[in-house]
Amino acid sequence: MPSAGTDAVPIPAFHVMMKPRGAICNLDCKYCYFLSKEALYPGSEFRMSDELLEEYTRQYIEAQQVEEVTFAWQGGEPTLMGLDFFEKAINLQQKYQKPDTRIFNSLQTNGTLLDDDWCRFFHKHDFLIGLSMDGPGHIHDTYRVDKGGKPTFDTVMRAARLMQDHEVEFNILTTVHAANAKHPVEVYRFMRDVVKTRFLQFIPIVERDNGTGYQEGADLTNRSVTGKQYGQFLIKIFDEWVRRDVGKMYIQIFDVSLAAWSGQGAGLCIFMETCGDALAMEHNGDLYACDHYVEPDYRLGNITEIPMMDMVL
Ligand code: SF4
């Protein structure tokens, strides 16, 4: 049987969301699907070791047979690792970078820990930042609260301004849920006119109402949106966008829908015939089939025991 990396079985391009602090976060968003994953690792310190960071960097670069390699950092809250960790990550990427390839980094954050040092670092190393924000304060703070239940909007807005001051490239990730589903145009105009971002992602909250935190059972929490509510939210925004903002505002779901419709390929897993090339990795090297399926049945293995290439094939 041919093994990974031979000519007989080409390795597909794949993507890993790396969670160096696992499910640990300084916030307590009421709809968060990831905080409960802490229960998968009882007794863990939830901190990726330097040795594992090097092993992951080496394997990930080696496994990518494409010219552009993107390291995606996520959580929990990845900035809880501290800036030193990411300085090491950059050094290791440079150490293992293959000739004629380019390396990029993206990082999804709640923004609350960002300061001038973080922003200087992001700018220097061309990080693409995803900042989570659900709308103006009275909407955002409905669910996005800290561990004491306090609102977070002001600190997130401050992070957006800091990144603009430092010319850090960022987009806004807005979840669509019961508190903002009926206010699509208000949310859209706020992001465009007040935050002044040009890149937006809208992700529906579909939160299972069960005790496991796994993707099982048909009951949803009352924070969730139905497919129809999500669709109506997008239609209202589309109507505003198509009249005045085409070419000025980039809305991920519109761009990838157009690309898929016009035969340019699916840019998002939900538009693909099969999924499985957008993986998630926990702080200890456990690789899972999907960020939304970090649960025992979807654990592929650990990269310290099985080469990542063999698990991806
Ligand atoms: S910031 Fe993200 S990881 Fe943290 S609680 Fe909120 S949704 Fe969950």
mmCIF file of all heavy atoms in Angstrom, residues 23-35 75-77 108-110 132 143-145 147, ligand 1:
data_model
loop_
_atom_site.group_PDB
_atom_site.id
_atom_site.type_symbol
_atom_site.label_atom_id
_atom_site.label_comp_id
_atom_site.label_asym_id
_atom_site.label_seq_id
_atom_site.Cartn_x
_atom_site.Cartn_y
_atom_site.Cartn_z
ATOM 1 N N ALA A 23 -9.107 24.604 25.280
ATOM 2 C CA ALA A 23 -10.381 25.307 25.466
ATOM 3 C C ALA A 23 -10.282 26.464 26.457
ATOM 4 O O ALA A 23 -11.299 27.081 26.785
ATOM 5 C CB ALA A 23 -11.433 24.315 25.952
ATOM 6 N N ILE A 24 -9.084 26.771 26.924
ATOM 7 C CA ILE A 24 -8.969 27.800 27.962
ATOM 8 C C ILE A 24 -9.177 29.194 27.365
ATOM 9 O O ILE A 24 -8.600 29.543 26.336
ATOM 10 C CB ILE A 24 -7.584 27.731 28.647
ATOM 11 C CG1 ILE A 24 -7.389 26.342 29.257
ATOM 12 C CG2 ILE A 24 -7.448 28.823 29.705
ATOM 13 C CD1 ILE A 24 -8.431 25.937 30.283
ATOM 14 N N CYS A 25 -10.011 29.967 28.040
ATOM 15 C CA CYS A 25 -10.332 31.314 27.557
ATOM 16 C C CYS A 25 -10.571 32.216 28.759
ATOM 17 O O CYS A 25 -10.992 31.755 29.815
ATOM 18 C CB CYS A 25 -11.580 31.269 26.670
ATOM 19 S SG CYS A 25 -11.937 32.865 25.896
ATOM 20 N N ASN A 26 -10.316 33.510 28.577
ATOM 21 C CA ASN A 26 -10.591 34.467 29.652
ATOM 22 C C ASN A 26 -12.025 34.984 29.603
ATOM 23 O O ASN A 26 -12.436 35.721 30.487
ATOM 24 C CB ASN A 26 -9.603 35.646 29.593
ATOM 25 C CG ASN A 26 -9.651 36.361 28.259
ATOM 26 O OD1 ASN A 26 -9.929 35.750 27.228
ATOM 27 N ND2 ASN A 26 -9.377 37.650 28.261
ATOM 28 N N LEU A 27 -12.761 34.612 28.561
ATOM 29 C CA LEU A 27 -14.170 35.013 28.490
ATOM 30 C C LEU A 27 -15.080 33.820 28.758
ATOM 31 O O LEU A 27 -14.618 32.675 28.870
ATOM 32 C CB LEU A 27 -14.504 35.625 27.121
ATOM 33 C CG LEU A 27 -13.743 36.887 26.721
ATOM 34 C CD1 LEU A 27 -14.412 37.547 25.518
ATOM 35 C CD2 LEU A 27 -13.620 37.872 27.868
ATOM 36 N N ASP A 28 -16.358 34.121 28.826
ATOM 37 C CA ASP A 28 -17.346 33.088 29.121
ATOM 38 C C ASP A 28 -18.584 33.335 28.260
ATOM 39 O O ASP A 28 -19.699 33.461 28.778
ATOM 40 C CB ASP A 28 -17.707 33.152 30.616
ATOM 41 C CG ASP A 28 -18.293 31.846 31.120
ATOM 42 O OD1 ASP A 28 -18.304 30.864 30.353
ATOM 43 O OD2 ASP A 28 -18.744 31.814 32.274
ATOM 44 N N CYS A 29 -18.357 33.418 26.958
ATOM 45 C CA CYS A 29 -19.474 33.702 26.051
ATOM 46 C C CYS A 29 -20.553 32.637 26.236
ATOM 47 O O CYS A 29 -20.253 31.440 26.269
ATOM 48 C CB CYS A 29 -18.989 33.727 24.605
ATOM 49 S SG CYS A 29 -17.688 34.939 24.330
ATOM 50 N N LYS A 30 -21.784 33.098 26.318
ATOM 51 C CA LYS A 30 -22.849 32.162 26.715
ATOM 52 C C LYS A 30 -23.097 31.084 25.671
ATOM 53 O O LYS A 30 -23.608 30.021 25.992
ATOM 54 C CB LYS A 30 -24.126 32.949 27.005
ATOM 55 C CG LYS A 30 -23.978 33.839 28.242
ATOM 56 C CD LYS A 30 -25.206 34.697 28.483
ATOM 57 C CE LYS A 30 -24.941 35.664 29.635
ATOM 58 N NZ LYS A 30 -25.981 36.700 29.733
ATOM 59 N N TYR A 31 -22.765 31.346 24.418
ATOM 60 C CA TYR A 31 -23.024 30.344 23.376
ATOM 61 C C TYR A 31 -21.782 29.544 23.011
ATOM 62 O O TYR A 31 -21.797 28.779 22.055
ATOM 63 C CB TYR A 31 -23.576 31.003 22.109
ATOM 64 C CG TYR A 31 -22.756 32.157 21.569
ATOM 65 C CD1 TYR A 31 -21.433 31.985 21.180
ATOM 66 C CD2 TYR A 31 -23.319 33.425 21.441
ATOM 67 C CE1 TYR A 31 -20.684 33.038 20.684
ATOM 68 C CE2 TYR A 31 -22.577 34.490 20.942
ATOM 69 C CZ TYR A 31 -21.262 34.290 20.565
ATOM 70 O OH TYR A 31 -20.518 35.320 20.076
ATOM 71 N N CYS A 32 -20.684 29.718 23.736
ATOM 72 C CA CYS A 32 -19.419 29.108 23.319
ATOM 73 C C CYS A 32 -19.529 27.582 23.256
ATOM 74 O O CYS A 32 -19.929 26.943 24.221
ATOM 75 C CB CYS A 32 -18.296 29.495 24.273
ATOM 76 S SG CYS A 32 -16.706 28.817 23.742
ATOM 77 N N TYR A 33 -19.165 27.025 22.118
ATOM 78 C CA TYR A 33 -19.228 25.566 21.961
ATOM 79 C C TYR A 33 -17.923 24.911 22.372
ATOM 80 O O TYR A 33 -17.812 23.692 22.367
ATOM 81 C CB TYR A 33 -19.551 25.194 20.498
ATOM 82 C CG TYR A 33 -18.438 25.516 19.521
ATOM 83 C CD1 TYR A 33 -17.509 24.549 19.147
ATOM 84 C CD2 TYR A 33 -18.316 26.787 18.992
ATOM 85 C CE1 TYR A 33 -16.481 24.857 18.261
ATOM 86 C CE2 TYR A 33 -17.293 27.096 18.109
ATOM 87 C CZ TYR A 33 -16.384 26.127 17.748
ATOM 88 O OH TYR A 33 -15.370 26.434 16.886
ATOM 89 N N PHE A 34 -16.901 25.725 22.711
ATOM 90 C CA PHE A 34 -15.605 25.103 22.926
ATOM 91 C C PHE A 34 -15.182 25.001 24.389
ATOM 92 O O PHE A 34 -14.365 24.156 24.747
ATOM 93 C CB PHE A 34 -14.518 25.816 22.107
ATOM 94 C CG PHE A 34 -13.472 24.847 21.645
ATOM 95 C CD1 PHE A 34 -13.705 24.025 20.553
ATOM 96 C CD2 PHE A 34 -12.290 24.693 22.342
ATOM 97 C CE1 PHE A 34 -12.778 23.071 20.164
ATOM 98 C CE2 PHE A 34 -11.348 23.748 21.958
ATOM 99 C CZ PHE A 34 -11.595 22.933 20.863
ATOM 100 N N LEU A 35 -15.714 25.834 25.259
ATOM 101 C CA LEU A 35 -15.284 25.798 26.662
ATOM 102 C C LEU A 35 -15.487 24.406 27.268
ATOM 103 O O LEU A 35 -14.687 23.939 28.080
ATOM 104 C CB LEU A 35 -16.057 26.845 27.478
ATOM 105 C CG LEU A 35 -15.794 28.316 27.117
ATOM 106 C CD1 LEU A 35 -16.693 29.232 27.943
ATOM 107 C CD2 LEU A 35 -14.328 28.684 27.326
ATOM 108 N N GLY A 75 -8.656 29.038 19.531
ATOM 109 C CA GLY A 75 -8.799 28.593 20.917
ATOM 110 C C GLY A 75 -10.147 27.954 21.145
ATOM 111 O O GLY A 75 -10.755 27.448 20.206
ATOM 112 N N GLY A 76 -10.600 28.179 22.420
ATOM 113 C CA GLY A 76 -10.078 29.037 23.488
ATOM 114 C C GLY A 76 -9.519 30.362 22.986
ATOM 115 O O GLY A 76 -9.867 30.822 21.919
ATOM 116 N N GLU A 77 -8.667 30.944 23.791
ATOM 117 C CA GLU A 77 -8.074 32.226 23.433
ATOM 118 C C GLU A 77 -6.564 32.038 23.249
ATOM 119 O O GLU A 77 -5.829 31.865 24.228
ATOM 120 C CB GLU A 77 -8.388 33.263 24.519
ATOM 121 C CG GLU A 77 -7.732 34.607 24.307
ATOM 122 C CD GLU A 77 -7.971 35.188 22.905
ATOM 123 O OE1 GLU A 77 -9.096 35.121 22.389
ATOM 124 O OE2 GLU A 77 -6.990 35.699 22.314
ATOM 125 N N GLN A 108 -7.357 33.853 15.469
ATOM 126 C CA GLN A 108 -8.701 34.277 15.874
ATOM 127 C C GLN A 108 -8.674 34.641 17.354
ATOM 128 O O GLN A 108 -8.213 33.855 18.179
ATOM 129 C CB GLN A 108 -9.694 33.133 15.632
ATOM 130 C CG GLN A 108 -11.139 33.495 15.932
ATOM 131 C CD GLN A 108 -11.672 34.574 15.000
ATOM 132 O OE1 GLN A 108 -11.372 34.555 13.802
ATOM 133 N NE2 GLN A 108 -12.435 35.522 15.532
ATOM 134 N N THR A 109 -9.156 35.834 17.686
ATOM 135 C CA THR A 109 -9.053 36.293 19.076
ATOM 136 C C THR A 109 -10.307 37.035 19.516
ATOM 137 O O THR A 109 -11.021 37.615 18.692
ATOM 138 C CB THR A 109 -7.826 37.224 19.242
ATOM 139 O OG1 THR A 109 -7.746 37.674 20.592
ATOM 140 C CG2 THR A 109 -7.892 38.432 18.316
ATOM 141 N N ASN A 110 -10.529 37.029 20.833
ATOM 142 C CA ASN A 110 -11.603 37.880 21.359
ATOM 143 C C ASN A 110 -11.114 39.313 21.541
ATOM 144 O O ASN A 110 -11.898 40.201 21.877
ATOM 145 C CB ASN A 110 -12.179 37.309 22.662
ATOM 146 C CG ASN A 110 -11.150 37.188 23.776
ATOM 147 O OD1 ASN A 110 -10.298 38.055 23.951
ATOM 148 N ND2 ASN A 110 -11.242 36.115 24.559
ATOM 149 N N SER A 132 -13.483 38.778 17.111
ATOM 150 C CA SER A 132 -14.877 38.378 17.338
ATOM 151 C C SER A 132 -15.673 39.553 17.899
ATOM 152 O O SER A 132 -15.343 40.094 18.958
ATOM 153 C CB SER A 132 -14.932 37.210 18.328
ATOM 154 O OG SER A 132 -14.237 36.101 17.811
ATOM 155 N N TYR A 143 -24.302 38.221 24.893
ATOM 156 C CA TYR A 143 -23.723 36.891 25.145
ATOM 157 C C TYR A 143 -22.219 36.912 25.364
ATOM 158 O O TYR A 143 -21.676 35.985 25.948
ATOM 159 C CB TYR A 143 -24.016 35.957 23.963
ATOM 160 C CG TYR A 143 -25.486 35.722 23.701
ATOM 161 C CD1 TYR A 143 -25.979 35.747 22.400
ATOM 162 C CD2 TYR A 143 -26.372 35.469 24.743
ATOM 163 C CE1 TYR A 143 -27.324 35.525 22.147
ATOM 164 C CE2 TYR A 143 -27.721 35.256 24.493
ATOM 165 C CZ TYR A 143 -28.191 35.282 23.192
ATOM 166 O OH TYR A 143 -29.523 35.068 22.944
ATOM 167 N N ARG A 144 -21.530 37.928 24.863
ATOM 168 C CA ARG A 144 -20.056 37.917 24.935
ATOM 169 C C ARG A 144 -19.602 38.646 26.200
ATOM 170 O O ARG A 144 -19.339 39.844 26.209
ATOM 171 C CB ARG A 144 -19.443 38.533 23.669
ATOM 172 C CG ARG A 144 -19.779 37.699 22.416
ATOM 173 C CD ARG A 144 -18.917 38.066 21.241
ATOM 174 N NE ARG A 144 -17.526 37.734 21.457
ATOM 175 C CZ ARG A 144 -16.988 36.531 21.238
ATOM 176 N NH1 ARG A 144 -17.745 35.538 20.802
ATOM 177 N NH2 ARG A 144 -15.708 36.327 21.461
ATOM 178 N N VAL A 145 -19.498 37.850 27.270
ATOM 179 C CA VAL A 145 -19.173 38.402 28.589
ATOM 180 C C VAL A 145 -17.937 37.711 29.147
ATOM 181 O O VAL A 145 -17.531 36.646 28.668
ATOM 182 C CB VAL A 145 -20.361 38.219 29.568
ATOM 183 C CG1 VAL A 145 -21.543 39.067 29.124
ATOM 184 C CG2 VAL A 145 -20.763 36.747 29.670
ATOM 185 N N LYS A 147 -15.532 36.222 32.561
ATOM 186 C CA LYS A 147 -15.811 35.175 33.552
ATOM 187 C C LYS A 147 -16.697 35.680 34.691
ATOM 188 O O LYS A 147 -17.336 34.900 35.382
ATOM 189 C CB LYS A 147 -14.501 34.631 34.140
ATOM 190 C CG LYS A 147 -13.614 33.907 33.136
ATOM 191 C CD LYS A 147 -14.213 32.603 32.666
ATOM 192 C CE LYS A 147 -13.210 31.813 31.845
ATOM 193 N NZ LYS A 147 -13.882 30.886 30.907
HETATM 194 S S1 SF4 B 1 -13.962 34.254 23.254
HETATM 195 FE FE1 SF4 B 1 -14.300 32.485 21.903
HETATM 196 S S2 SF4 B 1 -13.394 30.744 23.012
HETATM 197 FE FE2 SF4 B 1 -13.648 32.420 24.496
HETATM 198 S S3 SF4 B 1 -15.622 32.016 25.479
HETATM 199 FE FE3 SF4 B 1 -15.976 33.445 23.758
HETATM 200 S S4 SF4 B 1 -16.528 32.130 22.003
HETATM 201 FE FE4 SF4 B 1 -15.559 30.815 23.570
#
